[in-house]
């Protein structure tokens, strides 16, 4: 299959060679992409596409909830926010409500941007340690 679809092969390789932090970033980006698809579908009155996109975003939020390291003190706060996002997605799906999707987007964007900063800081530290060796 990868021979026929170079993009699929690239994506598969990206997932297989990414760090756990990079995979989490991919999840945030995926959730945001599906939320945007759902907004477009609502505006286009495409209920089937909206439902599919929101369900995909919910699956990602659920995955983020399940894989959350509960031993870290901030995890409980994150869990509450993930649950809130999930509820916004449910309400958006039931009521075709773009404003609820905007709320979910805002929170997931904050998480994504913060996570991106964490990865950048870790990389700087990692490369600083390499230079010292």
């Amino acid at each position: 299959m990868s021979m026929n679809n170079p993009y699929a092969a690239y994506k598969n390789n990206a997932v297989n060679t990414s760090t756990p932090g990079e995979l989490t970033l991919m999840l945030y980006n995926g959730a945001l992409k599906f939320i945007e698809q759902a907004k477009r579908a609502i505006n286009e009155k495409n209920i089937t596409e909206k439902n599919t996109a929101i369900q995909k975003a919910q699956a990602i939020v659920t995955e983020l909830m399940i894989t959350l390291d509960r031993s870290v003190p901030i995890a409980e706060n994150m869990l509450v926010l993930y649950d809130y996002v999930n509820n916004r997605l449910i309400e958006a799906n039931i009521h075709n409500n773009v404003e609820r999707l905007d709320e979910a987007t805002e929170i997931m964007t904050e998480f994504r941007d913060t996570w991106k900063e964490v990865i950048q800081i870790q990389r700087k530290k990692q490369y600083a340690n390499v230079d010292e060796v």
Side-chain angles (χ1 to χ4, degrees), residues 35 54 57-58 61 85-93 101 104:
I35 293 169
I54 289 177
Q58 283 181 278
V61 172
V85 167
N86 206 29
N87 284 323
R88 297 297 95 172
L89 293 172
I90 291 168
E91 287 184 22
N93 205 359
L101 292 176

Side-chain angles (χ1 to χ4, degrees), residues 34 38 49-59 89 92-93 101:
F34 292 128
E49 186 178 319
K50 173 219 50 167
N51 183 55
T52 300
I54 289 177
Q55 286 181 350
K56 288 179 180 181
Q58 283 181 278
L89 293 172
N93 205 359
L101 292 176

Side-chain angles (χ1 to χ4, degrees), residues 64-105:
L64 290 165
M65 292 170 82
I66 291 169
T67 58
L68 198 56
D69 182 357
R70 305 288 285 276
S71 68
V72 180
I74 197 167
E76 291 305 316
N77 294 336
M78 292 177 71
L79 189 60
V80 169
L81 287 170
Y82 286 147
D83 189 49
Y84 181 79
V85 167
N86 206 29
N87 284 323
R88 297 297 95 172
L89 293 172
I90 291 168
E91 287 184 22
N93 205 359
I94 292 170
H95 302 291
N96 295 317
N97 188 311
V98 173
E99 290 78 22
R100 295 291 183 256
L101 292 176
D102 288 338
E103 289 180 63
T105 297

Side-chain angles (χ1 to χ4, degrees), residues 8-73:
Y10 169 79
K11 276 179 54 176
N12 188 42
N13 190 42
V15 168
N16 289 333
T17 60
S18 295
T19 66
E22 291 166 335
L23 290 172
T24 301
L25 187 61
M26 287 179 198
L27 288 173
Y28 287 129
N29 285 329
L32 289 166
K33 177 184 85 171
F34 292 128
I35 293 169
E36 285 303 312
Q37 286 177 1
K39 284 184 203 177
R40 272 195 310 278
I42 287 173
N43 291 329
E44 295 168 1
K45 300 192 182 344
N46 186 334
I47 303 307
T48 302
E49 186 178 319
K50 173 219 50 167
N51 183 55
T52 300
I54 289 177
Q55 286 181 350
K56 288 179 180 181
Q58 283 181 278
I60 291 172
V61 172
T62 299
E63 180 67 19
L64 290 165
M65 292 170 82
I66 291 169
T67 58
L68 198 56
D69 182 357
R70 305 288 285 276
S71 68
V72 180

